[in-house]
Amino acid sequence: MAGVTERAGDTAGKAATIRDVAACAGTSIATVSYVLNNKSRYLRPELRERVLAAAQELGYVKNAAARSLKGLQRGILAVLVPQFGNNFFTRMCVEIEAVAQRAGFVVTICNSDENPVQERAIIERLLSQRIDGCILSPALSRTESAALLERARVPYVILERTMGTAVPDHDFVGHDNFQSGYIAAQALLDAGHRRIAFLGWDSPIANINDREQGYRAALAEAGVAIEPGWVLTGSLSEDEGRRLADRLPVGQVTAAVLATHHTMAKGVLMSLQDRGLRWPQDLSLVLIGTPEWVDLVRPGLACVERPEREMGHAAAALLLEKLKRPDYRQAKLVLPTRFIPGGSIRPIKIPETSGANA
Amino acid sequence: MAGVTERAGDTAGKAATIRDVAACAGTSIATVSYVLNNKSRYLRPELRERVLAAAQELGYVKNAAARSLKGLQRGILAVLVPQFGNNFFTRMCVEIEAVAQRAGFVVTICNSDENPVQERAIIERLLSQRIDGCILSPALSRTESAALLERARVPYVILERTMGTAVPDHDFVGHDNFQSGYIAAQALLDAGHRRIAFLGWDSPIANINDREQGYRAALAEAGVAIEPGWVLTGSLSEDEGRRLADRLPVGQVTAAVLATHHTMAKGVLMSLQDRGLRWPQDLSLVLIGTPEWVDLVRPGLACVERPEREMGHAAAALLLEKLKRPDYRQAKLVLPTRFIPGGSIRPIKIPETSGANA
DNA sequence: CTGAAAGCGCTAACAG
DNA sequence: CTGTTAGCGCTTTCAG
């Protein structure tokens, strides 16, 4: 945890201060402060000019840290995600950064790597930096970090991973995981598939479970009973995806799989290729997520798109709103997902059981 | 640039201060400071305990901003990249973050989006935050930002995009672009290809030019004259890659292309697929870069791997070193790249011109 | 219209 | 061994 050396390098700390500017412009620091902050106070234009010139000449940059001591905003927002290398999160970060940038904030992005211990250390460090606000996507959906922020009274919004009722009344932006599981399964059912496996990953986060519930609901509605061995999980890795691919009902008509993470899906696809199997002939497939390669693999990949951009935008906008109005609360924002058709679903002649259970 | 509202929300600013802790522990603020910083000063263990307990109870977190006023480090490092959405940069960021984290720093990641104006605004904001150091990958290889950092005496290291001699004597970590162009072309030449196009992108950065020089050198050595129309460039986008694909010498024996950015390569591959063309039968291909999908497209993709992890690690380590020893300088670090074979290069019977030009 | 001065939270002499 | 105190750079009353 330690490591930050005590002394700043000799190089730092020589930045021009407001006092230098005042001296250089032959006025007082108060005046400089007023000029530099465009405060409503009438000053001789000539003086104003002189101050500006002096600041320019000295390369003066105001010290946000000092400013914050007086209880003003620091201009730093933090984003803490559990999988920084995952495009899904990256896309949200890009959007958050853009919004924050426009509002004059700088964004500190941290990666907990799904590790609650690391997450805690990071939160503590952020708190010590007196960040103005935080967007948090908790590792493993733990609630401790939120509690820490709550206690420090730092405005925050939870992104993507709900904490349910464990932390009452928190602001949340996410997408509809139940729906994504549901429409993915639905797409396979509509095409006539009946043996549909669900490929999850070992994680205590509710999202995966919600997707599974959506999947279960869709199958139940279609009158399809889920058989043992259809719901598969494993650690989150390409290799695990490859291994689990062996357990899929490959080659059987109406066989399909619903993958819930692109890393797992990639493993499955590579396994199929290695074994000389083809999709959708030997196995139909739908993925929840839109990695860069969805439109590159042939014959295409049906998938469920989550509104990453919108989520990032909404989370950032919400946080900014909360900074303006500390008492602002908004109902949880759960954005819809969208099914994108693709060649990985094999249309099957429906065996006369369609429109059944009536 | 403005936008940061003046007043911090009422919610903030109520954090416990060192004074609160002192009061609660029934001692002086000096003692608290010493205890909390593990300074070498002998204190009655009992007192020490009381202070720690009080801090714990009040949820005290020390204010890094206030600390920095005294000329100490703030604990913030900044990373400024030009393409935050690009995996190449993301991978480096992940590594930088990990290294910084271990050293007790928090990392602010910013995205200039290849826009020098935005970059300047960001640098100014970072300066005003009094960051302890910065890793910079300049948009379009401009040098202004480095000059700004230089002037503010903020230790920095330039990553990936060299500024050449424009800024003398700066610390740099990058990879060998000439080499990557060279070995990519070499791989195609070795396989017997002779009509080798170079697909770049419009950018003033030296990297692309260096890759082109490597390509040119390899062809020259092999006695292959570059014909007009072989060197193609365009804006950096998938669509542009698609468009330029039409100009490639598809279908001719010994036809190949060297792509310098995965986005362009993706466009090319998609164009081939749309037109019912296949690789490497109709066109051989090598890519500089390793997007997630290199091992997913079939029959594989030959590519040049850049040492992203090592670069990130080296840059972060170097910056930390510079923070410790302000006068520390290291020779520019240019890491080697590595060719990774793949099914996208069609081996051709070499037409007896091999080992020529002797 | 402008300047002096009181702190914001913290560190580090300097006195006890 | 421990407490008092002078600032770090800045904002903002309050007096000129």
Side-chain angles (χ1 to χ4, degrees):
Chain A
M1 200 148 303
V4 176
T5 49
E6 291 306 303
R7 297 240 123 264
D10 295 345
T11 47
K14 308 204 164 194
T17 79
I18 199 175
R19 217 175 305 275
D20 300 330
V21 177
C24 177
T27 180
S28 72
I29 60 169
T31 300
V32 174
S33 177
Y34 283 117
V35 170
L36 264 27
N37 290 306
N38 277 315
K39 274 290 150 86
S40 53
R41 179 196 254 227
Y42 280 156
L43 309 143
R44 237 178 321 139
E46 182 258 335
L47 220 194
R48 172 180 219 81
E49 288 312 317
R50 243 167 46 216
V51 168
L52 258 17
Q56 179 74 41
E57 178 179 332
L58 296 169
Y60 171 80
V61 180
K62 80 174 150 206
N63 186 334
R67 226 168 159 258
S68 82
L69 267 198
K70 306 260 13 166
L72 304 185
Q73 275 184 183
R74 291 238 328 55
I76 299 186
L77 262 28
V79 180
L80 181 40
V81 295
Q83 297 177 18
F84 184 62
N86 183 343
N87 272 338
F88 172 64
F89 287 104
T90 311
R91 288 174 193 151
M92 295 194 289
C93 286
V94 169
E95 194 62 29
I96 292 170
E97 226 257 340
V99 173
Q101 200 103 239
R102 249 173 276 139
F105 286 85
V106 130
V107 178
T108 287
I109 298 176
C110 298
N111 180 21
S112 68
D113 219 3
E114 299 286 10
N115 179 346
V117 176
Q118 206 169 318
E119 179 172 294
R120 198 204 154 91
I122 294 171
I123 292 272
E124 228 131 56
R125 217 166 283 154
L126 291 173
L127 252 28
S128 122
Q129 294 297 344
R130 296 294 188 268
I131 51 171
D132 296 309
C134 182
I135 292 177
L136 172 66
S137 213
L140 313 179
S141 282
R142 299 301 207 66
T143 60
E144 290 91 347
S145 300
L148 251 36
L149 292 170
E150 195 82 56
R151 170 167 200 179
R153 293 217 185 64
V154 172
Y156 67 97
V157 357
I158 299 296
L159 181 62
E160 170 62 10
R161 295 183 175 182
T162 180
M163 300 184 302
T165 53
V167 177
D169 216 32
H170 58 281
D171 291 281
F172 175 78
V173 173
H175 74 271
D176 193 336
N177 285 282
F178 180 91
Q179 185 208 21
S180 59
Y182 185 88
I183 63 180
Q186 194 62 55
L188 290 167
L189 290 164
D190 282 351
H193 291 275
R194 289 299 176 269
R195 305 181 58 75
I196 304 175
F198 177 90
L199 182 53
W201 52 285
D202 294 332
S203 165
I205 70 176
N207 301 21
I208 300 304
N209 184 53
D210 289 350
R211 291 175 207 175
E212 186 182 328
Q213 296 315 319
Y215 152 84
R216 287 182 182 277
L219 265 64
E221 275 177 30
V224 175
I226 293 172
E227 293 179 19
W230 284 14
V231 174
L232 300 169
T233 59
S235 61
L236 181 56
S237 78
E238 210 174 294
D239 281 344
E240 186 77 354
R242 284 184 109 104
R243 274 189 292 274
L244 291 174
D246 289 335
R247 303 223 217 122
L248 295 173
V250 167
Q252 304 180 33
V253 186
T254 76
V257 62
L258 190 176
T260 57
H261 195 289
H262 67 90
T263 301
M264 301 298 258
K266 189 178 168 196
V268 170
L269 293 182
M270 290 179 62
S271 163
L272 293 181
Q273 288 175 338
D274 289 350
R275 291 187 283 161
L277 297 170
R278 288 156 34 148
W279 71 89
Q281 292 87 339
D282 296 305
L283 183 72
S284 281
L285 192 104
V286 177
L287 167 64
I288 295 179
T290 50
E292 245 180 23
W293 43 266
V294 274
D295 45 5
L296 199 55
V297 293
R298 295 297 152 124
L301 190 54
C303 56
V304 174
E305 182 186 61
R306 297 107 111 208
E308 294 133 347
R309 293 278 144 84
E310 291 85 340
M311 288 170 66
H313 189 97
L318 174 52
L319 184 56
L320 290 174
E321 192 59 40
K322 293 188 61 161
L323 292 185
K324 284 209 199 84
R325 304 193 267 152
D327 49 329
Y328 183 79
R329 291 228 94 86
Q330 94 157 37
K332 309 208 175 317
L333 185 61
V334 178
L335 296 167
T337 58
R338 192 163 66 93
F339 176 72
I340 299 181
S344 63
I345 299 183
R346 178 186 181 192
I348 296 174
K349 204 175 282 359
I350 298 177
E352 300 314 309
T353 40
S354 72
N357 70 316
Chain B
M1 196 149 304
V4 175
T5 48
E6 290 306 305
R7 297 239 122 265
D10 295 345
T11 48
K14 308 204 164 196
T17 79
I18 198 174
R19 217 173 306 273
D20 300 330
V21 177
C24 177
T27 180
S28 72
I29 61 169
T31 299
V32 174
S33 175
Y34 283 119
V35 171
L36 263 27
N37 291 306
N38 277 314
K39 273 290 151 88
S40 54
R41 179 195 251 229
Y42 280 157
L43 309 143
R44 237 177 323 138
E46 182 260 333
L47 221 193
R48 172 181 220 82
E49 289 312 318
R50 245 169 43 219
V51 169
L52 258 17
Q56 179 73 42
E57 178 179 334
L58 297 170
Y60 172 79
V61 180
K62 79 175 151 206
N63 186 332
R67 219 163 165 267
S68 82
L69 267 198
K70 306 258 16 162
L72 304 185
Q73 275 183 186
R74 285 257 298 75
I76 299 187
L77 261 27
V79 180
L80 180 40
V81 296
Q83 297 176 20
F84 185 63
N86 183 342
N87 272 338
F88 172 65
F89 287 104
T90 310
R91 288 174 192 152
M92 293 195 290
C93 287
V94 170
E95 195 62 29
I96 292 170
E97 226 256 341
V99 173
Q101 200 102 240
R102 247 171 278 141
F105 287 85
V106 130
V107 178
T108 287
I109 299 176
C110 298
N111 180 21
S112 68
D113 219 3
E114 298 286 10
N115 179 346
V117 176
Q118 205 170 321
E119 179 172 297
R120 199 204 153 90
I122 294 170
I123 292 271
E124 230 132 53
R125 215 165 285 155
L126 291 173
L127 252 28
S128 120
Q129 294 296 345
R130 294 296 188 269
I131 51 171
D132 297 310
C134 182
I135 293 177
L136 171 67
S137 212
L140 312 180
S141 282
R142 299 300 208 66
T143 59
E144 289 92 348
S145 299
L148 250 36
L149 291 169
E150 195 82 55
R151 171 167 200 182
R153 293 218 184 68
V154 171
Y156 66 98
V157 356
I158 299 296
L159 180 62
E160 169 63 9
R161 295 183 176 183
T162 180
M163 300 184 301
T165 52
V167 176
D169 217 32
H170 57 280
D171 291 282
F172 175 79
V173 173
H175 74 271
D176 193 335
N177 285 280
F178 179 92
Q179 186 207 22
S180 59
Y182 184 88
I183 63 181
Q186 193 62 55
L188 290 167
L189 289 163
D190 283 351
H193 290 276
R194 288 300 176 268
R195 305 181 57 77
I196 304 175
F198 177 90
L199 182 53
W201 53 286
D202 293 333
S203 164
I205 71 176
N207 301 21
I208 301 302
N209 183 53
D210 289 350
R211 291 175 206 176
E212 186 182 328
Q213 295 315 319
Y215 152 85
R216 287 181 182 277
L219 266 63
E221 274 177 32
V224 176
I226 294 172
E227 293 179 21
W230 286 14
V231 174
L232 299 169
T233 59
S235 61
L236 181 56
S237 78
E238 209 174 295
D239 281 345
E240 186 76 356
R242 283 183 112 103
R243 273 189 292 274
L244 290 174
D246 289 335
R247 304 222 217 123
L248 294 173
V250 168
Q252 305 179 32
V253 186
T254 76
V257 62
L258 190 176
T260 57
H261 196 288
H262 66 91
T263 301
M264 302 297 258
K266 189 177 168 196
V268 170
L269 293 183
M270 289 178 62
S271 163
L272 293 180
Q273 288 175 338
D274 289 350
R275 291 188 282 161
L277 297 171
R278 291 161 29 156
W279 71 89
Q281 292 87 340
D282 296 304
L283 183 73
S284 282
L285 191 105
V286 176
L287 168 65
I288 296 179
T290 50
E292 246 179 22
W293 44 265
V294 275
D295 45 6
L296 199 55
V297 292
R298 295 298 153 125
L301 190 55
C303 56
V304 175
E305 183 187 61
R306 296 107 112 210
E308 293 133 350
R309 293 281 144 84
E310 290 85 340
M311 287 170 66
H313 188 97
L318 174 52
L319 184 56
L320 290 173
E321 194 59 40
K322 292 188 63 163
L323 291 184
K324 284 213 198 82
R325 304 192 267 152
D327 50 328
Y328 183 78
R329 293 226 92 85
Q330 96 156 37
K332 309 205 174 318
L333 184 60
V334 177
L335 297 166
T337 59
R338 192 163 66 93
F339 177 72
I340 298 180
S344 62
I345 299 184
R346 177 185 182 195
I348 296 174
K349 201 174 274 32
I350 299 175
E352 300 314 312
T353 39
S354 72
N357 72 317

